[in-house]
Amino acid sequence: MLVEVHSPCYLQLGFARAAGGVLGELGIALQHPPVQLAAQPAQQLLVSGARADMGYRAAVDCLAQLGVAAGSQIEIELAVPAFMGLGSDAMLRVSVGQALRHVLRASDLPTVDPACWAFKRGGLLLVGPQGELIQRAAIEHSDEEDDWVFVLVLPHAPDDVAEDDELQRRQALRNAAERLGSSVAADALFAAVERDDFDAFASALTAIHVANEAALSANGRPVVLSEEERDILDFMRARGAAFVARALTGLGLLGLVKGGPASRALRRALVQRLGYFGPPVTASICDNRGARVISG
């Protein structure tokens, strides 16, 4: 049996408090860049394609959790770029794990962290400390001119970057989150989605991002941008992005704009500025359905 998995990526937006003061991890599933892979039974475990090393480790861990020694052939056609703050490791692990469970006809993956919720449900997510889903909203529009689009600049990671860099950043953010006051709340963000208020959403997102950066700094992990990063963010802001930032858990640079035409114009301008050999520039809207698992 061949199993295909098409999964979104997961952009962590920081930590914020829900009603009642519970601290949750805030994130959003994005359609691009995605994970796409296929798995089928085999005599031994074989993993090839994009980020095959991480895929192999994920498969080994999944089989150990299931207590089986079955083989499988896994071809990873697309993987989320590493070190960008888009949940590359986490989404590949979930995708590989779910594919293997389908091949082996085992139970679905338990929903224990935000990446699992992004995989299963998509949307804008607030997830509690025990992996419980506190709040979810879909961000969707029927006309592309109304879309809320994240424009992403994905710089080349330095050669000496630690293999677990994104994991370290996630842990540092989690450690600093306890410093967030009661005013750092997620309700304004979800209320803006409910009202379809783009400006309010961008304002609330900016406030949450700034508060999380301040918490990191207070906890001894200040966010320091290079001159090039500042220039790119200023460039996006000057061309209409309502929210700009470097990802809290990676190197990716983000700009939030309203509408497909505005997104395409900003991407063209960025490509012209950064040059042919510059970092990739892409864009994505919220993924509201989660992963697709196709068995055939």
Side-chain angles (χ1 to χ4, degrees), residues 130-284:
Q130 307 303 317
E132 71 277 18
L133 182 63
I134 299 174
Q135 198 167 0
R136 178 191 177 276
I139 304 176
E140 51 192 350
H141 300 92
S142 57
D143 190 328
E144 74 149 3
E145 293 193 0
D146 297 322
D147 281 341
W148 299 1
V149 187
F150 283 89
V151 175
L152 309 172
V153 178
L154 306 178
H156 306 296
D159 293 337
D160 60 351
V161 66
E163 186 178 8
D164 62 345
D165 179 77
E166 193 163 326
L167 180 62
Q168 290 182 33
R169 292 173 187 260
R170 285 176 61 88
Q171 188 59 53
L173 190 62
R174 187 175 293 109
N175 292 342
E178 292 298 334
R179 294 180 176 271
L180 295 172
S182 58
S183 62
V184 186
D187 54 354
L189 199 66
F190 283 92
V193 174
E194 186 175 357
R195 299 194 310 270
D196 194 25
D197 189 332
F198 174 81
D199 291 334
F201 181 83
S203 178
L205 188 55
T206 299
I208 290 170
H209 187 92
V210 169
N212 276 264
E213 284 192 332
L216 282 167
S217 183
N219 219 39
R221 291 291 297 265
V223 177
V224 180
L225 299 179
S226 69
E227 182 177 351
E228 175 69 6
E229 288 173 326
R230 289 195 299 270
D231 286 348
I232 292 173
L233 295 180
D234 288 344
F235 185 88
M236 288 197 282
R237 186 184 292 110
R239 281 154 183 78
F243 163 75
V244 298
R246 189 177 73 188
L248 287 167
T249 58
L251 303 174
L253 303 175
L254 323 168
L256 179 66
V257 298
K258 184 175 183 179
S263 164
R264 289 189 288 273
L266 178 54
R267 279 180 282 163
R268 283 195 299 269
L270 282 165
V271 170
Q272 289 176 353
R273 183 201 179 281
L274 298 172
Y276 182 80
F277 295 105
V281 179
T282 187
S284 182

Side-chain angles (χ1 to χ4, degrees), residues 5 58 89-99 109 113 115-116 119:
V5 174
D89 289 4
M91 295 311 296
L92 186 55
R93 279 188 170 276
V94 175
S95 300
V96 167
Q98 193 62 52
L109 277 169
D113 61 26
C116 293
F119 183 91

